[in-house]
Amino acid sequence: MSVDSMLCDRIEIAKELIKRAEVLSKSRAGGVEGGAKLCSKLRAELKFLQKVEAGKVAIKESHLKSTNLTHLQAIIESAESLQDVVSVLHVFSYNDQFGEKQTLVVDVVANGGHTWIKAIGRKAEALHNIWIGRGQYGDKSVIEQAEDYLQASRQQPVQYSSPHIIFAFYNSVSKPMAEKLKEMGISVRGDIVAVNSSVGIAQEESYLSCSESDVEEDDDDSELLHIDEVDRENIVASVAFPREIKVEVCNRVNLDITTLITYVSALSHGGCHFIFKEKVLTEQAAQERQEKVLPLLDSFMEGKELFACECAVRDFQSILETLGGTYERERAASLIQRINVVPDQPSERALKLCSSSKINSRSVAIFGTGDSLRAITMTANSGFVRAANNQGVKFSVFIHQPRALTESKESSATPILKNHVASEPH
C-alpha cells in the first residue's frame, strides 16, 4: 500500500471511530465516563492526519503504521463487546509493592465496574520480544503491566470483590505469554499464536506502544540471535469475549434511614397523586409518577440478606412516631421483621472520615456498619457518598431517589385528577 493510500485509509478509519466513540459515550444513562476524552483523542489523531494530507507535516511511512489509532480502535472494539460499560480510559490510583503512589489507566471498565479491560494493539512479535528481553530500553512487558493491574485491582474492590481483568489482544499474543497471563489469573482475549524455536536473522520492529500516547519509529537493525520466533500464521486458539461474564454478587444489603423511609412511604405505595403544600414533597410525588421507586428497591433486595444497624432503626422509628401515618407505620413494622438488626459496628476506614456538613456520626455508623458487614448500603444520601469518596473512602452503595413520609400530609394536599397526570411530560 502506498503512503497516500495508507494515509487516506487512516483518515477514513479515524472518522468512523469518532462516530462509534460518540455512540459509545451515550450508551449509558448519564453517559460513559471518559467518553469525551476518547473522542478528543480520536479527533486529535484525525487533525494530525489531515495536516499530513495537506502537506503541513512530513512523516515517514513507519509513523503512519504506528499512529495511536490502533490502540484507540482496540479500546472501542473492546467496549462494544461488553455489557454495562461504566468508563473508558479511567485513571485509578494505587500503591505499588514498595508503597509508592502510582496511577494506572484502565482502557475499559465494564459490567458495572466488575471487569477491567486492557486493549492491546501491538503485534505479537513485538510483545514477545519485549517479554524475553529484546525490547528497547524502558519498554515494559505485558506481564509486568499485568502485575500492575493485579496490584491496582486488589485496592479497588467492587462490592468487596476485586475486578476481573481481561487483556484483549488485537494483533495476537504468543502462546507462552497467554499461558503466563492465565497463570496469573488474567483472562486473555484474541488469537493465541505458536512460537517456533529457531536460529537466524531477526528483524527488529517497532509497533504501536501499549500506551495510548506513544508513537515509535521502526528500527531496521538486524542481528543474529538464538531465539524463539512468533509464528502469527499458526493460530493455536482464538478466544472471543465471553457473552456473559460471571461476577461475584454481594448477597448482603444494609438499609439506611433514607431507604427505610422510602420503602414505607405513602408516595411509594400509590399516594403520589397530590400537590402538597411543601414543594419538596410535590417534586417527589412528580418523580414517583414518572418512575416508581419501589420496584427498583424490591428488585435489588430480592434474594438478599437484609441488615440495618441499631441507630438507623432507632432514628427511623423516631421519625415514624413524629411524621408517619397509620399505613406507613404498619408497613414499617412488617419491614423491620424482615431485617437483621445489628449493633452499630462502623469499619476502621469509616471512623477515619473527617466530619463535615455531609458527614456526621450517624452516617458514619450506618455506612461503616455496612462496610464491616461487607454489605451494599442502600441509600438516597448521595451527598454522604460523594463526600466520603472525596476523602478517599469509597463505599459499596445502591443509590435511589428519596421519598418522604407523606400520609399525614395528604389531608391538606390537593389531589391531582387522572387526566391531568396523563398529560404530564415524561
Side-chain angles (χ1 to χ4, degrees), residues 128 174-176 193-197 227-231 234 236:
H128 191 83
S174 68
K175 185 181 177 184
V193 296
V195 173
N196 301 323
S197 184
I227 62 166
D228 290 337
E229 289 186 347
V230 172
D231 182 4
N234 187 357
V236 177

Side-chain angles (χ1 to χ4, degrees), residues 84-98:
D84 194 12
V85 173
V86 177
S87 61
V88 292
L89 300 171
H90 188 93
V91 180
F92 288 98
S93 296
Y94 71 101
N95 293 322
D96 64 17
Q97 57 184 328
F98 305 108

